Amino acid sequence: MTVLVGTLLFTGIFFLTVGTIGLLRFPDVYTRIHATTKCDTLGLGLVLVSLMFISGLSWDSVKLLFVIIFVWLTNPTAAHVISKAAYKRGIPMAEGSFFINKEEKPDGNI
Amino acid sequence: MNNLLISACIILVITISLCLYKGARGPTIADRLVAVNVIGTKTVVLISLVSFIFEKTFFLDVALVYALISFLTTIMVADYMVGENKKEEEGIK
């Protein structure tokens, strides 16, 4: 039981740490969103599933399940809204980004 | 079991402080917003872990409400980002 909980817990913590490294190291807003969202969703899911294994069949597990479902619904939505707002505001992409249509390249006020 | 949870909490606090550094330093407003969003998600995990360390499981309600408010914050600040830009284009201050 302890081995199962520890494995799930530290896999989740590993994904959260990788998301933080991506946030610090990537060159661009859009790539940072890409790194953090995926790793956050997976990391939170794994950590809370390990807590569900600790508490067993109880109301606490149901609450944790509600938290997981809610974050899995809202986190991609928030990332989509942030990236759309950044694109509309014209925040530039990293150097060497590839554009099919040159007209759509955002540039201008940060 | 408790030692596992406490060590996970310590690692999580270190990553949260790194995100806070990025949010204070990030060059554009969207970088700061991404950092705040990540901090919100990690805080939900941290509150759940703390509730199991102290064995007071009513903290899980706090985690649920924190997730709600964090989502609303992100949506509102992103909306403000776009709206401010539109006002600048139209010449209204």
Side-chain angles (χ1 to χ4, degrees):
Chain A
M1 190 66 185
T2 311
V3 175
L4 180 66
V5 170
T7 310
L8 283 174
L9 187 68
F10 280 99
T11 314
I13 293 293
F14 167 74
F15 277 111
L16 287 171
T17 313
V18 168
T20 309
I21 293 172
L23 176 70
L24 287 173
R25 294 289 297 163
F26 274 161
D28 193 358
V29 179
Y30 307 98
T31 48
R32 280 172 197 146
I33 294 171
H34 163 79
T36 56
T37 315
K38 239 163 261 179
C39 297
D40 259 2
T41 310
L42 198 52
L44 182 134
L46 285 172
V47 173
L48 294 195
V49 164
S50 78
L51 292 182
M52 280 167 75
F53 273 112
I54 291 177
S55 81
L57 268 180
S58 62
W59 282 111
D60 301 336
S61 293
V62 179
K63 282 179 195 170
L64 286 171
L65 191 66
F66 275 130
V67 174
I68 291 176
I69 290 172
F70 186 74
V71 171
W72 279 7
L73 279 178
T74 57
N75 214 354
T77 315
H80 182 86
V81 169
I82 293 172
S83 61
K84 200 168 183 178
Y87 187 81
K88 275 188 183 170
R89 198 178 167 85
I91 288 173
M93 297 187 186
E95 291 291 318
S97 298
F98 178 73
F99 293 95
I100 293 176
N101 187 1
K102 296 278 193 213
E103 309 281 317
E104 287 182 0
K105 184 175 181 177
D107 49 4
N109 50 22
I110 290 176
Chain B
M1 192 70 84
N2 232 346
N3 287 333
L4 277 179
L5 296 181
I6 289 172
S7 52
C9 268
I10 291 171
I11 299 172
L12 209 55
V13 166
I14 293 170
T15 57
I16 285 179
S17 53
L18 285 174
C19 285
L20 200 61
Y21 166 73
K22 185 68 187 175
R25 187 181 149 274
T28 67
I29 182 172
D31 287 315
R32 297 170 208 267
L33 189 53
V34 172
V36 169
N37 194 17
V38 176
I39 290 173
T41 312
K42 281 176 187 170
T43 311
V44 172
V45 178
L46 193 63
I47 293 172
S48 309
L49 285 173
V50 164
S51 82
F52 273 83
I53 288 171
F54 290 125
E55 294 176 354
K56 291 190 169 41
T57 47
F58 56 84
F59 281 171
L60 290 175
D61 299 336
V62 181
L64 193 54
V65 174
Y66 193 89
L68 273 160
I69 294 176
S70 167
F71 175 63
L72 278 182
T73 309
T74 307
I75 295 293
M76 288 312 292
V77 177
D79 193 36
Y80 171 74
M81 263 169 68
V82 178
E84 195 193 26
N85 199 27
K86 268 183 192 167
K87 274 185 192 169
E88 279 173 10
E89 278 178 3
E90 289 164 5
I92 306 166
K93 279 197 175 178

